[in-house]
Amino acid sequence: MWLLRLPEPLVGRGHSPPPTTSSIICRHHRLLPSFKLRAALSNQDSTTQFDLSLSLKRKAADISTDLKGTCLFLVGINSPIKSNSAQLLADALRYYYFDSDSVVEQALGGEDAVRSFMNTDLKGFRDSETEVLKQLSSMGRLVVSAGNGAVQCAANLALMRHGISIWIDVPLDMVAKQIVEENFQLPAAETISGSYSEVLAQLTAIYEDCRNGYATADATIALHKVASRLGYDTLDAVTTEDIALGTLKEVERLMRAKKLMEEAARPF
């Protein structure tokens, strides 16, 4: 299964042959689970956090049998809440976690190599994104925080149909603030810098390019709707557990609908 290499266009003038995609993916398998989340969640009220975590694990246990190892792909503007939610979901479901942008970066040789490909061999870079997604989608028991390349071509969207895709819809102004004030690092393929207004404009351009792809997801978890449903006064009150639990409930709803359709299609 791990014999596939990144496509030949990736090996060109000025570029060293990359390692196999499979070796990068296998390496990620040894990086479980989501230890970084503990620090991010440490400031939350301990009782509330315990209750949410328990609810999350119970919901994960409830749907695991019917999920049958189906992969989850989280799409949307890159943000801390999207990547942290993916890690938390992997932890709750006892799945493996991958960030597709990080796998591409490692397969190509690092951030500088990615920027070089973006400038000199964009097709090769896009091919590498597809190759990584192809390998990830062929596996089971994964939660993938999918980069924007996953929603920018029909082939990649089709690959994500091997699993369940969820759009984590986070307001752009919140992400811009995290980039400018909290130094949130975007993937090397997304070079964004400047003042808050400049960063917001660049994020808006990315969003407009990807919005139609995001909208093909099987379900959407919108931060503002989660905050409204839970009675929060601000969007900042929404936790990673809130998003992860909402995602599992949507997955459960999708599986229930699929099961009903399958039963309706059976001959009497």
Side-chain angles (χ1 to χ4, degrees), residues 115-184:
R115 295 186 184 100
S116 178
F117 272 101
M118 292 290 290
N119 292 327
T120 64
D121 188 6
L122 184 57
K123 181 183 183 300
F125 177 77
R126 295 304 181 197
D127 286 345
S128 73
E129 290 182 312
T130 299
E131 177 63 23
V132 164
L133 201 59
K134 182 187 298 182
Q135 297 230 13
L136 291 175
S137 66
S138 70
M139 302 165 66
R141 303 188 66 82
L142 303 182
V143 177
V144 179
S145 181
N148 284 320
V151 301
Q152 290 183 301
C153 76
N156 291 351
L157 291 171
L159 288 170
M160 287 194 291
R161 288 297 171 194
H162 291 282
I164 297 172
S165 56
I166 307 289
W167 177 9
I168 306 299
D169 189 8
V170 181
L172 299 183
D173 58 344
M174 176 179 285
V175 181
K177 181 179 179 181
Q178 291 167 332
I179 293 172
V180 174
E181 298 181 8
E182 302 173 22
N183 199 32
F184 171 64

Coordinates of all heavy atoms in Angstrom, one line a residue, residues 115-184:
R115 N 7.3 26.8 -1.2 CA 7.3 28.1 -1.8 C 7.9 28.1 -3.2 O 7.5 28.8 -4.1 CB 7.9 29.2 -0.9 CG 7.2 29.4 0.4 CD 7.8 30.5 1.3 NE 7.2 30.6 2.6 CZ 7.7 30.1 3.7 NH1 8.9 29.5 3.7 NH2 7.0 30.2 4.8
S116 N 9.0 27.4 -3.3 CA 9.7 27.2 -4.6 C 8.8 26.6 -5.6 O 8.7 27.1 -6.8 CB 11.0 26.4 -4.4 OG 11.6 26.2 -5.7
F117 N 8.1 25.5 -5.2 CA 7.1 24.9 -6.1 C 6.0 25.8 -6.5 O 5.6 25.8 -7.7 CB 6.6 23.6 -5.5 CG 7.4 22.4 -5.7 CD1 8.3 21.9 -4.8 CD2 7.4 21.7 -7.0 CE1 9.1 20.8 -5.0 CE2 8.2 20.6 -7.2 CZ 9.0 20.1 -6.2
M118 N 5.5 26.5 -5.6 CA 4.4 27.5 -5.9 C 4.8 28.5 -6.9 O 4.0 28.9 -7.7 CB 4.0 28.2 -4.6 CG 3.3 27.3 -3.5 SD 1.7 26.7 -4.0 CE 0.8 28.2 -4.0
N119 N 6.1 28.9 -6.9 CA 6.6 29.9 -7.9 C 7.0 29.3 -9.2 O 6.9 30.0 -10.3 CB 7.8 30.6 -7.3 CG 7.3 31.5 -6.1 OD1 6.2 32.0 -6.1 ND2 8.2 31.7 -5.1
T120 N 7.5 28.0 -9.2 CA 8.1 27.5 -10.4 C 7.4 26.3 -11.0 O 7.6 26.0 -12.2 CB 9.6 27.1 -10.2 OG1 9.6 26.0 -9.2 CG2 10.4 28.3 -9.7
D121 N 6.6 25.6 -10.2 CA 5.9 24.4 -10.7 C 4.6 24.2 -10.0 O 4.4 23.2 -9.2 CB 6.9 23.2 -10.5 CG 6.3 21.9 -11.1 OD1 5.3 22.0 -11.8 OD2 6.9 20.8 -10.9
L122 N 3.7 25.1 -10.2 CA 2.4 25.1 -9.5 C 1.6 23.8 -9.8 O 1.0 23.2 -8.9 CB 1.5 26.3 -9.9 CG 0.2 26.4 -9.2 CD1 0.4 26.5 -7.7 CD2 -0.5 27.6 -9.7
K123 N 1.7 23.3 -11.1 CA 1.0 22.0 -11.4 C 1.6 20.9 -10.6 O 0.9 20.0 -10.1 CB 1.2 21.7 -12.9 CG 0.5 20.4 -13.3 CD 0.7 20.1 -14.7 CE -0.1 18.8 -15.1 NZ 0.3 17.6 -14.3
G124 N 2.9 20.9 -10.4 CA 3.5 19.8 -9.6 C 3.1 19.9 -8.2 O 2.8 18.8 -7.5
F125 N 2.9 21.1 -7.7 CA 2.5 21.3 -6.3 C 1.0 20.8 -6.2 O 0.7 20.0 -5.2 CB 2.6 22.7 -5.9 CG 2.0 23.0 -4.5 CD1 2.8 22.6 -3.4 CD2 0.8 23.5 -4.3 CE1 2.3 22.8 -2.1 CE2 0.3 23.7 -3.0 CZ 1.0 23.4 -1.9
R126 N 0.2 21.1 -7.1 CA -1.2 20.7 -7.1 C -1.3 19.1 -7.2 O -2.1 18.5 -6.5 CB -2.0 21.3 -8.2 CG -2.2 22.9 -8.0 CD -2.8 23.2 -6.7 NE -2.9 24.7 -6.6 CZ -3.1 25.3 -5.4 NH1 -3.1 24.6 -4.3 NH2 -3.2 26.6 -5.4
D127 N -0.4 18.6 -8.0 CA -0.4 17.1 -8.2 C 0.0 16.5 -6.8 O -0.5 15.4 -6.5 CB 0.6 16.7 -9.3 CG 0.1 17.0 -10.7 OD1 -1.1 17.2 -10.8 OD2 0.9 17.0 -11.6
S128 N 0.9 17.1 -6.1 CA 1.3 16.5 -4.8 C 0.2 16.5 -3.8 O 0.0 15.6 -3.0 CB 2.5 17.3 -4.3 OG 2.2 18.5 -3.8
E129 N -0.6 17.6 -3.9 CA -1.8 17.7 -3.0 C -2.8 16.6 -3.3 O -3.3 15.9 -2.4 CB -2.5 19.0 -3.2 CG -1.7 20.2 -2.6 CD -2.5 21.5 -2.8 OE1 -3.0 21.8 -3.9 OE2 -2.6 22.3 -1.8
T130 N -3.0 16.3 -4.6 CA -3.9 15.2 -5.0 C -3.3 13.9 -4.6 O -4.1 13.0 -4.1 CB -4.1 15.3 -6.5 OG1 -4.7 16.5 -6.8 CG2 -5.0 14.1 -6.9
E131 N -2.0 13.7 -4.7 CA -1.4 12.4 -4.4 C -1.5 12.1 -2.9 O -1.9 11.0 -2.5 CB 0.1 12.4 -4.8 CG 0.8 11.1 -4.4 CD 0.3 9.9 -5.0 OE1 -0.3 10.0 -6.1 OE2 0.5 8.8 -4.5
V132 N -1.3 13.1 -2.1 CA -1.4 13.0 -0.6 C -2.9 12.6 -0.3 O -3.2 11.7 0.5 CB -1.0 14.2 0.1 CG1 -1.5 14.3 1.6 CG2 0.6 14.4 0.1
L133 N -3.8 13.4 -0.9 CA -5.2 13.1 -0.6 C -5.7 11.7 -1.0 O -6.5 11.1 -0.4 CB -6.1 14.2 -1.2 CG -7.5 14.4 -0.7 CD1 -7.4 14.8 0.8 CD2 -8.2 15.5 -1.4
K134 N -5.1 11.3 -2.2 CA -5.4 10.0 -2.7 C -5.0 8.9 -1.7 O -5.7 8.0 -1.4 CB -4.7 9.7 -4.0 CG -5.0 8.4 -4.7 CD -4.2 8.1 -5.9 CE -4.4 9.2 -7.0 NZ -3.6 8.9 -8.2
Q135 N -3.8 9.0 -1.1 CA -3.3 8.0 -0.2 C -4.1 8.1 1.1 O -4.5 7.1 1.7 CB -1.8 8.3 0.1 CG -1.0 8.1 -1.1 CD 0.2 7.1 -0.9 OE1 0.3 6.4 0.1 NE2 1.1 7.1 -1.8
L136 N -4.4 9.3 1.6 CA -5.2 9.4 2.9 C -6.6 8.9 2.7 O -7.1 8.2 3.6 CB -5.2 10.9 3.3 CG -3.9 11.5 3.8 CD1 -4.1 13.0 4.0 CD2 -3.4 10.8 5.0
S137 N -7.2 9.2 1.6 CA -8.6 8.7 1.4 C -8.7 7.2 1.2 O -9.8 6.6 1.3 CB -9.2 9.4 0.2 OG -8.6 9.1 -1.1
S138 N -7.6 6.6 0.9 CA -7.6 5.1 0.7 C -7.5 4.4 2.0 O -7.6 3.1 2.1 CB -6.4 4.7 -0.2 OG -5.2 4.8 0.4
M139 N -7.3 5.1 3.1 CA -7.1 4.5 4.4 C -8.4 4.6 5.2 O -9.4 5.2 4.7 CB -5.9 5.2 5.1 CG -4.6 5.1 4.4 SD -3.4 6.3 5.0 CE -3.1 5.6 6.7
G140 N -8.4 4.1 6.4 CA -9.5 4.2 7.3 C -9.1 4.7 8.6 O -8.0 4.8 8.9
R141 N -10.1 5.1 9.4 CA -9.9 5.6 10.8 C -9.0 6.8 10.8 O -8.0 6.8 11.6 CB -9.3 4.4 11.7 CG -10.2 3.2 11.7 CD -9.7 2.2 12.7 NE -9.9 2.7 14.1 CZ -11.0 2.7 14.8 NH1 -12.1 2.2 14.3 NH2 -11.0 3.3 16.0
L142 N -9.3 7.8 10.0 CA -8.5 9.0 10.0 C -9.5 10.2 10.2 O -10.6 10.2 9.7 CB -7.8 9.2 8.6 CG -6.8 8.2 8.1 CD1 -6.2 8.7 6.8 CD2 -5.8 7.9 9.1
V143 N -8.9 11.2 10.9 CA -9.6 12.5 10.8 C -8.5 13.4 10.1 O -7.4 13.5 10.6 CB -9.9 13.1 12.2 CG1 -10.5 14.5 12.1 CG2 -10.9 12.2 12.9
V144 N -8.9 14.0 9.0 CA -8.0 14.8 8.2 C -8.4 16.3 8.3 O -9.5 16.7 7.9 CB -7.9 14.4 6.8 CG1 -7.0 15.2 5.9 CG2 -7.5 12.9 6.7
S145 N -7.5 17.2 8.7 CA -7.7 18.6 8.6 C -7.2 18.9 7.2 O -6.0 19.0 6.9 CB -6.9 19.4 9.6 OG -7.1 20.8 9.5
A146 N -8.1 19.1 6.2 CA -7.8 19.2 4.8 C -7.5 20.7 4.4 O -8.2 21.6 4.8 CB -9.0 18.7 4.0
G147 N -6.4 20.8 3.7 CA -6.0 22.1 3.2 C -6.9 22.6 2.1 O -7.7 21.9 1.6
N148 N -6.7 23.9 1.7 CA -7.6 24.4 0.7 C -7.5 23.8 -0.6 O -8.4 23.8 -1.5 CB -7.4 26.0 0.6 CG -8.0 26.7 1.8 OD1 -9.1 26.4 2.2 ND2 -7.2 27.7 2.3
G149 N -6.3 23.2 -0.9 CA -6.1 22.5 -2.2 C -7.1 21.3 -2.3 O -7.4 20.9 -3.5
A150 N -7.6 20.8 -1.2 CA -8.6 19.7 -1.2 C -9.9 20.1 -1.8 O -10.7 19.2 -2.3 CB -8.8 19.1 0.2
V151 N -10.2 21.4 -1.9 CA -11.6 21.8 -2.4 C -11.5 22.6 -3.7 O -12.5 23.1 -4.1 CB -12.3 22.6 -1.3 CG1 -12.5 21.8 0.0 CG2 -11.6 23.9 -1.0
Q152 N -10.3 22.6 -4.3 CA -10.1 23.4 -5.5 C -10.1 22.7 -6.8 O -9.9 23.3 -7.8 CB -8.8 24.3 -5.3 CG -9.0 25.3 -4.2 CD -7.7 26.2 -4.1 OE1 -6.6 25.8 -3.9 NE2 -7.9 27.5 -4.3
C153 N -10.3 21.4 -6.8 CA -10.4 20.7 -8.0 C -11.4 19.5 -7.8 O -11.5 19.0 -6.7 CB -9.1 20.2 -8.6 SG -8.4 18.8 -7.8
A154 N -12.0 19.1 -8.9 CA -13.0 18.0 -8.8 C -12.5 16.7 -8.4 O -13.1 16.0 -7.7 CB -13.7 17.9 -10.2
A155 N -11.2 16.4 -8.8 CA -10.6 15.1 -8.4 C -10.4 15.0 -6.9 O -10.7 14.0 -6.3 CB -9.2 15.0 -9.1
N156 N -10.0 16.1 -6.3 CA -9.8 16.1 -4.8 C -11.1 16.0 -4.1 O -11.3 15.3 -3.1 CB -9.0 17.3 -4.4 CG -7.6 17.3 -4.9 OD1 -7.1 16.3 -5.4 ND2 -6.9 18.4 -4.7
L157 N -12.1 16.7 -4.6 CA -13.5 16.6 -4.0 C -14.0 15.2 -4.1 O -14.6 14.7 -3.1 CB -14.4 17.6 -4.7 CG -14.1 19.1 -4.4 CD1 -15.0 20.0 -5.3 CD2 -14.4 19.5 -2.9
A158 N -13.7 14.6 -5.2 CA -14.2 13.2 -5.4 C -13.5 12.2 -4.4 O -14.1 11.3 -3.9 CB -14.0 12.7 -6.8
L159 N -12.2 12.5 -4.1 CA -11.5 11.6 -3.2 C -12.0 11.7 -1.8 O -12.1 10.7 -1.1 CB -10.0 12.0 -3.2 CG -9.2 11.6 -4.5 CD1 -7.8 12.3 -4.5 CD2 -9.1 10.1 -4.6
M160 N -12.5 12.9 -1.4 CA -13.0 13.1 -0.1 C -14.4 12.4 0.1 O -14.9 12.2 1.2 CB -13.1 14.6 0.3 CG -11.8 15.2 0.6 SD -11.9 16.8 1.4 CE -12.6 17.8 0.1
R161 N -15.0 12.0 -1.1 CA -16.3 11.3 -1.0 C -16.1 9.9 -0.5 O -17.1 9.2 -0.2 CB -16.9 11.2 -2.4 CG -17.5 12.6 -2.9 CD -18.6 13.0 -2.0 NE -19.0 14.4 -2.3 CZ -19.8 15.1 -1.5 NH1 -20.2 14.5 -0.3 NH2 -20.2 16.3 -1.8
H162 N -14.8 9.4 -0.3 CA -14.6 8.2 0.3 C -14.9 8.2 1.8 O -14.9 7.2 2.5 CB -13.1 7.7 0.1 CG -12.8 7.4 -1.3 ND1 -13.2 6.1 -1.9 CD2 -12.2 8.0 -2.3 CE1 -12.8 6.1 -3.1 NE2 -12.2 7.2 -3.4
G163 N -15.0 9.4 2.3 CA -15.3 9.6 3.7 C -16.5 10.6 3.9 O -17.3 10.8 3.0
I164 N -16.5 11.3 5.1 CA -17.5 12.3 5.4 C -16.8 13.6 5.5 O -15.8 13.7 6.2 CB -18.3 12.0 6.7 CG1 -19.1 10.6 6.5 CG2 -19.2 13.1 7.1 CD1 -19.7 10.1 7.8
S165 N -17.3 14.6 4.8 CA -16.6 15.9 4.8 C -17.5 16.9 5.6 O -18.7 17.0 5.5 CB -16.4 16.5 3.4 OG -17.6 16.5 2.7
I166 N -16.8 17.7 6.5 CA -17.5 18.7 7.3 C -16.8 20.1 7.1 O -15.6 20.2 7.2 CB -17.4 18.4 8.8 CG1 -18.0 16.9 9.0 CG2 -18.2 19.4 9.6 CD1 -19.4 16.7 8.9
W167 N -17.6 21.1 6.8 CA -17.1 22.5 6.7 C -17.1 23.1 8.0 O -18.2 23.3 8.6 CB -17.9 23.2 5.6 CG -17.5 24.7 5.5 CD1 -16.4 25.3 6.0 CD2 -18.3 25.7 4.7 NE1 -16.4 26.6 5.6 CE2 -17.5 26.9 4.8 CE3 -19.4 25.6 4.0 CZ2 -18.0 28.1 4.2 CZ3 -19.9 26.8 3.4 CH2 -19.1 28.0 3.5
I168 N -15.9 23.4 8.6 CA -15.8 24.2 9.8 C -15.8 25.7 9.4 O -14.7 26.2 9.0 CB -14.6 23.8 10.6 CG1 -14.6 22.2 10.8 CG2 -14.5 24.5 11.9 CD1 -15.8 21.7 11.6
D169 N -16.9 26.3 9.6 CA -17.0 27.7 9.1 C -16.7 28.7 10.2 O -17.5 28.9 11.1 CB -18.5 27.9 8.6 CG -18.6 29.2 7.8 OD1 -17.6 29.9 7.6 OD2 -19.8 29.6 7.5
V170 N -15.5 29.3 10.1 CA -15.1 30.2 11.1 C -15.0 31.6 10.5 O -14.5 31.8 9.4 CB -13.7 29.8 11.6 CG1 -13.2 30.8 12.7 CG2 -13.7 28.4 12.2
P171 N -15.5 32.7 11.2 CA -15.5 34.0 10.7 C -14.1 34.5 10.3 O -13.1 34.2 11.1 CB -16.1 34.9 11.8 CG -16.9 33.9 12.6 CD -16.2 32.6 12.5
L172 N -13.9 35.1 9.2 CA -12.6 35.5 8.7 C -12.0 36.5 9.6 O -10.7 36.5 9.8 CB -12.7 36.1 7.3 CG -13.3 35.1 6.2 CD1 -13.3 35.8 4.8 CD2 -12.5 33.8 6.2
D173 N -12.8 37.4 10.2 CA -12.2 38.4 11.1 C -11.5 37.8 12.3 O -10.5 38.3 12.8 CB -13.2 39.5 11.5 CG -14.4 38.9 12.2 OD1 -14.6 37.7 12.1 OD2 -15.2 39.7 12.8
M174 N -12.1 36.7 12.8 CA -11.5 36.0 13.9 C -10.2 35.4 13.5 O -9.2 35.4 14.3 CB -12.5 34.9 14.4 CG -11.9 34.1 15.5 SD -13.1 32.8 16.1 CE -14.2 33.8 17.1
V175 N -10.1 34.8 12.3 CA -8.9 34.1 11.9 C -7.8 35.2 11.6 O -6.6 35.0 12.0 CB -9.1 33.3 10.6 CG1 -7.8 32.7 10.1 CG2 -10.2 32.3 10.8
A176 N -8.2 36.4 11.1 CA -7.3 37.5 10.8 C -6.7 37.9 12.1 O -5.5 38.2 12.2 CB -8.0 38.6 10.1
K177 N -7.5 38.0 13.1 CA -7.0 38.5 14.5 C -6.0 37.5 15.0 O -5.0 37.8 15.6 CB -8.2 38.6 15.4 CG -7.8 39.1 16.8 CD -9.1 39.3 17.7 CE -8.7 39.7 19.1 NZ -9.9 39.8 20.0
Q178 N -6.3 36.2 14.8 CA -5.4 35.2 15.3 C -4.1 35.2 14.6 O -3.0 34.9 15.2 CB -6.0 33.8 15.2 CG -7.2 33.6 16.1 CD -8.1 32.4 15.8 OE1 -8.2 31.9 14.6 NE2 -8.7 31.8 16.8
I179 N -4.1 35.5 13.3 CA -2.8 35.6 12.6 C -2.0 36.8 13.0 O -0.8 36.7 13.2 CB -3.1 35.7 11.1 CG1 -3.7 34.4 10.6 CG2 -1.9 36.0 10.3 CD1 -4.2 34.4 9.1
V180 N -2.7 38.0 13.2 CA -2.0 39.2 13.5 C -1.6 39.3 14.9 O -0.4 39.7 15.3 CB -2.8 40.4 13.1 CG1 -2.2 41.7 13.5 CG2 -3.1 40.4 11.6
E181 N -2.5 39.0 15.8 CA -2.2 39.2 17.3 C -1.7 37.9 18.0 O -1.0 38.1 19.0 CB -3.5 39.6 17.9 CG -4.1 41.0 17.4 CD -5.3 41.4 18.1 OE1 -5.7 40.7 19.1 OE2 -6.0 42.4 17.7
E182 N -2.0 36.8 17.5 CA -1.6 35.5 18.2 C -0.6 34.7 17.4 O -0.2 33.6 17.8 CB -2.8 34.7 18.5 CG -3.9 35.4 19.3 CD -5.2 34.6 19.5 OE1 -5.1 33.4 19.3 OE2 -6.2 35.2 19.7
N183 N -0.2 35.3 16.3 CA 0.9 34.7 15.4 C 0.5 33.3 15.0 O 1.4 32.4 14.9 CB 2.2 34.7 16.2 CG 3.4 34.5 15.3 OD1 3.4 34.9 14.1 ND2 4.5 33.8 15.8
F184 N -0.7 33.0 14.7 CA -1.1 31.8 14.1 C -0.5 31.6 12.8 O -0.6 32.5 11.9 CB -2.7 31.7 14.0 CG -3.2 30.5 13.2 CD1 -2.9 29.2 13.7 CD2 -3.8 30.6 12.0 CE1 -3.4 28.1 13.0 CE2 -4.3 29.5 11.3 CZ -4.0 28.3 11.8

